[in-house]
């Protein structure tokens, strides 16, 4: 079902067109909406972009790096900050380097021990999907919205999908590793909205990083910083009423 049909249906109902006078197309749209127990105007947005770690799933990258630091007797916060900087500076985040080079740099510069697979699994095992977020994704699709992942990730996101099978829940997946640019650039957001065939003001971006949210807003998108389930659901209700 196309979103413009829902919009046309809303107009027809608002001007007082009786259900039995609707065209066959509008009747079909109305039956669809009623069958889903969703009002056509359930959402005031057309597209929702979800971050992965920290939004759709627990933040496995941060938790995993802290675990690696503990096992190696290193300062956890210092190790995390430097390891996060290295994923940018090595180019791994945007596909200009590979995983082996990243972990070798971690061992040489930060003093961590362990083989690549063991270190990686400390991170990947901690990305636990949040079922309530996937319930929201499903409801958004039922309401006619487009949904996508927009994540600063590496090939690890593909490996996580191979394990957990969540890509199929989305219309598109945008990963910095494959795009060659990250959410550190404002243009990333305008590029993605264009790819989704939408307008920035009709798109909502959800991320646990306020700097990313600020760049999304600078590009004209709506944005919610995820800071816990209850707070998020309250803020999200301003855009969609399920």
């Amino acid at each position: 079902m196309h979103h413009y049909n829902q919009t046309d249906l809303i107009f027809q109902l608002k001007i007082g067109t009786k259900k039995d006078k609707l065209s066959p197309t509008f009747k079909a749209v109305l039956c669809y909406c009623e069958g889903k127990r969703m009002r056509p105007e359930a959402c005031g947005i057309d597209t929702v972009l979800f971050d992965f770690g920290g939004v759709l799933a627990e933040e496995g990258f941060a938790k995993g790096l802290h675990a690696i630091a503990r096992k190696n007797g290193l300062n956890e916060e210092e190790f995390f900050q430097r390891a996060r900087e290295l994923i940018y500076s090595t180019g791994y985040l945007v596909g200009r380097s590979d995983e082996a080079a990243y972990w070798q740099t971690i061992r040489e510069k930060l003093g961590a021990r362990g083989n690549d697979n063991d270190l990686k699994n400390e991170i990947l095992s901690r990305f636990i999907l949040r079922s309530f977020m996937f319930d929201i994704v499903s409801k958004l699709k039922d309401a006619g919205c487009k949904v996508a992942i927009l994540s600063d990730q590496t090939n690890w996101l593909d490996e996580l999908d191979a394990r957990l099978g969540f890509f199929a829940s989305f219309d598109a997946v945008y990963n910095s590793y494959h795009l060659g640019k990250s959410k550190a650039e404002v243009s990333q957001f305008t590029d993605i909205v264009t790819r989704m065939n939408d307008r920035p003001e009709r798109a909502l971006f959800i991320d646990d990083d306020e700097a990313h949210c600020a760049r999304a807003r600078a590009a004209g998108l709506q944005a919610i910083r995820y800071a816990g389930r209850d707070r998020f659901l309250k803020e999200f209700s301003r855009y969609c009423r399920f």
Side-chain angles (χ1 to χ4, degrees), residues 50-63 123-124 126-130 133-134 149-154 156-157 160 166 170 174 183 205-209 212 226:
F50 293 85
D51 181 31
F52 181 69
V55 175
L56 292 170
E58 298 296 318
E59 182 42 89
F61 183 63
K63 291 181 178 180
I123 291 173
L124 298 196
R126 289 173 168 81
F127 281 110
I128 300 170
L129 299 182
R130 291 171 172 160
M133 291 300 294
F134 281 83
I149 294 175
L150 175 55
S151 181
D152 278 0
Q153 258 284 358
T154 67
W156 296 338
L157 191 62
L160 285 165
F166 53 87
F170 298 88
Y174 300 107
K183 290 180 283 190
F205 172 63
I206 304 166
D207 200 293
D208 63 329
D209 187 312
H212 293 332
Y226 185 93

Side-chain angles (χ1 to χ4, degrees), residues 46-49 94 146-151 170-182 185-200 203 219 221:
D46 300 325
T47 299
V48 183
L49 306 173
V94 291
K146 292 173 285 188
V147 292
I149 294 175
L150 175 55
S151 181
F170 298 88
D171 297 304
V173 176
Y174 300 107
N175 180 352
S176 61
Y177 183 77
H178 299 301
L179 295 171
K181 66 190 299 187
S182 74
E185 301 178 58
V186 173
S187 62
Q188 178 77 307
F189 298 96
T190 50
D191 290 350
I192 296 306
V193 171
T194 299
R195 287 184 182 222
M196 296 292 289
N197 295 313
D198 208 347
R199 294 172 293 157
L221 285 74

